[in-house]
Amino acid sequence: MNFTTKKDNWIIGSLLFLSFVPSIAGMVRIFQLASGSGYTVENQRFFNDPIPVVLHIGAVFFYSIFGAFQFAPAFRNKHPYWHRIFGRFLVFFGILSAISGLWLTLAYPRVLTDGDWLFGIRIVVGVWMLFCIGLGFYFAIRKEFRKHSHWMIRGYAIGLGAGTQVFTHLPWFVIVGGEPSGIPRDLLMGAGWLINLLFAEWVIRKKPEMLL
């Protein structure tokens, strides 16, 4: 596909890069569930009740990968029809991502590495993602496209949280080693969503040319 500007290529490439590791990890998880391999005490909950995690992985995959193309200004302006069509599908996958994420949080037993804060953080970001996507769709219907863009950026930033969490965990793996647990894990997980939210607000408020 021919992207029209270097800015488009940079935006799409950056978002796809951030989506890459979680997408690969998700596909590996689905393969394990389908084949019955890789069973451990830690992931037993996924084998016992695979539906929510499979829905979540699939929804996040489509939302993050195909959503990257929605934020490339020249591509969006050159292909407004495809932006609208794909946008409707992505609203569905975004909402499914948020709902299945909340389902995972509420239905699955907490793993030993999770601290007390992470449950609440996941509930907050899941509800916030639903709110952002819903409001973004509302403004699209009203043809208030700048507001639509702002809220969709906020929702997509939440959806890419897992990609950023790979990098927030890296210093721990390098310096401390092993899997963080308790409050350190809660903070590192929360930092991934917080960084994305702050970056989204920076783009919205300081870089309006990236939206045009």
Side-chain angles (χ1 to χ4, degrees), residues 22-132:
S23 296
I24 294 298
M27 294 302 104
V28 170
R29 176 73 70 194
I30 288 179
F31 172 79
Q32 290 175 336
L33 293 172
S35 63
S37 61
Y39 182 92
T40 65
V41 174
E42 287 75 16
N43 64 24
Q44 176 184 355
R45 63 195 187 281
F46 301 136
F47 287 89
N48 291 343
D49 186 12
I51 294 176
V53 70
V54 170
L55 286 176
H56 187 66
I57 290 171
V60 170
F61 176 83
F62 283 103
Y63 183 65
S64 60
I65 297 297
F66 292 100
F69 296 86
Q70 297 292 89
F71 298 101
F75 179 81
R76 182 177 64 240
N77 294 333
K78 186 177 180 180
H79 305 285
Y81 173 79
W82 290 111
H83 178 77
R84 291 193 297 270
I85 295 299
F86 274 103
R88 292 183 176 92
F89 283 104
L90 290 169
V91 166
F92 169 76
F93 283 119
I95 290 174
L96 182 58
S97 298
I99 291 175
S100 59
L102 290 168
W103 186 3
L104 290 171
T105 302
L106 295 169
Y108 282 172
R110 193 178 78 180
V111 297
L112 295 177
T113 54
D114 289 356
D116 294 332
W117 295 357
L118 190 52
F119 178 87
I121 292 172
R122 283 173 169 153
I123 295 296
V124 169
V125 298
V127 172
W128 178 246
M129 184 175 175
L130 277 175
F131 177 78
C132 291

